[in-house]
Amino acid sequence: MMTDRLVDVGGYALHARVQGSGPAVVLDGGGAGQGLGTWGPVPEGLAEFATVVTYDRAGVGRSGGTQAGSVVDMADDLRRLLRALDLDLPAVLVGWSYGGLVTQVYAARHPEDVAGLVLVDPTAAGTPPGSAVVRSSSFVLAAWLLRARAALGGRNARPLRELAVTLRGMPDAMAETARIREEHGLPPVPVRVITAGRRPRMPRAQLEHLTADHEALAALSPRGRVLVAEHASHQVPHDQPEVVLDAVGEVLRG
């Protein structure tokens, strides 16, 4: 059974979908936070043994409000959503890409809600290597290009504008997540960090930074482990969904 709901989280509503039955598993999507319809076959596969929640973040997709200015705001929105859904907590949180930042902050601030973490090729926290000026300029330029493409119209115009907002705030989000992780750590629950096995060409220092962050994430839990999706690009839920399904099942059993 699948139900879609607009759930009031305090002045605006988030669009959420609940399906399946069993222990709770919450999916937080990448990019701008459009969770519904972006996970490929993963939600349906998980629904065979879990109650699965997917949602769009504030200001994205069919959700109301405006796009949050901080990762803490996004995590707090998710917490209000799960309580409004009367979900049986603690839950396994699954964060893909930027969603990995949101779920880390949620787990660090509200460990009592979290039974386990599966981080799917998560965005690296902290400060990437290289020039701060070049790094900041690249995010500004990427956001500008997305807005320019959105100005041409078409059905992807709104998602492009939403993604532009996310990219513009990416350096702050990465720094915020690193700070909260350092202050609070992660709860001692099972943690699986899935890293993509097929990377696009990138500077060696950048790749080493990403790899080191994934390893550091797993090391924050005594029950943490890095898994490599050998045949997947960053689009792990589409390229190798079975790796996500297996990791969630393993965490639930743990």
Side-chain angles (χ1 to χ4, degrees):
M1 180 178 177
M2 178 189 299
T3 59
D4 277 38
R5 294 174 57 184
L6 289 173
V7 182
D8 191 326
V9 293
Y12 52 91
L14 298 184
H15 183 201
R17 177 174 296 159
V18 182
Q19 56 188 309
S21 61
V25 176
V26 180
L27 305 183
D28 201 300
Q34 287 197 6
L36 278 74
T38 64
W39 282 88
V42 168
E44 288 70 25
L46 292 174
E48 295 182 6
F49 55 85
T51 299
V52 184
V53 177
T54 50
Y55 77 110
D56 293 334
R57 291 192 211 117
V60 171
R62 285 183 56 195
S63 289
T66 57
Q67 286 181 259
S70 74
V71 184
V72 165
D73 290 340
M74 297 175 201
D76 287 350
D77 264 357
L78 177 55
R79 192 167 193 252
R80 287 190 288 269
L81 172 67
L82 300 186
R83 274 155 174 70
L85 289 172
D86 198 26
L87 201 67
D88 187 14
L89 299 174
V92 173
L93 303 185
V94 184
W96 173 24
S97 191
Y98 192 104
L101 302 182
V102 179
T103 50
Q104 288 172 59
V105 169
Y106 191 122
R109 285 165 51 85
H110 308 290
E112 69 280 3
D113 287 356
V114 181
L117 283 169
V118 176
L119 303 168
V120 183
D121 211 34
T123 299
T127 304
S131 163
V133 173
V134 172
R135 183 168 57 251
S136 177
S137 299
S138 67
F139 281 116
V140 171
L141 177 61
W144 184 88
L145 290 172
L146 288 171
R147 286 194 296 269
R149 285 176 57 191
L152 299 175
R155 64 185 182 89
N156 290 325
R158 179 177 175 179
L160 289 173
R161 287 194 297 269
E162 293 166 351
L163 183 57
V165 173
T166 301
L167 286 181
R168 186 66 182 83
M170 185 71 80
D172 290 341
M174 293 187 294
E176 180 187 8
T177 302
R179 183 176 66 253
I180 291 173
R181 228 166 68 182
E182 184 175 348
E183 290 174 358
H184 301 281
L186 292 179
V189 296
V191 174
R192 297 294 180 270
V193 182
I194 300 172
T195 189
R198 291 166 42 205
R199 295 276 178 213
R201 288 190 177 182
M202 64 176 69
R204 180 174 179 177
Q206 185 178 346
L207 178 60
E208 290 175 348
H209 172 73
L210 180 61
T211 301
D213 189 71
H214 287 185
E215 292 173 349
L217 266 174
L220 286 173
S221 168
R223 292 186 282 170
R225 191 153 62 92
V226 174
L227 305 173
V228 180
E230 296 284 357
H231 307 294
S233 67
H234 184 60
Q235 301 294 316
V236 178
H238 300 272
D239 295 342
Q240 274 191 279
E242 68 277 7
V243 176
V244 182
L245 298 177
D246 290 346
V248 174
E250 190 176 283
V251 166
L252 285 172
R253 290 190 297 272

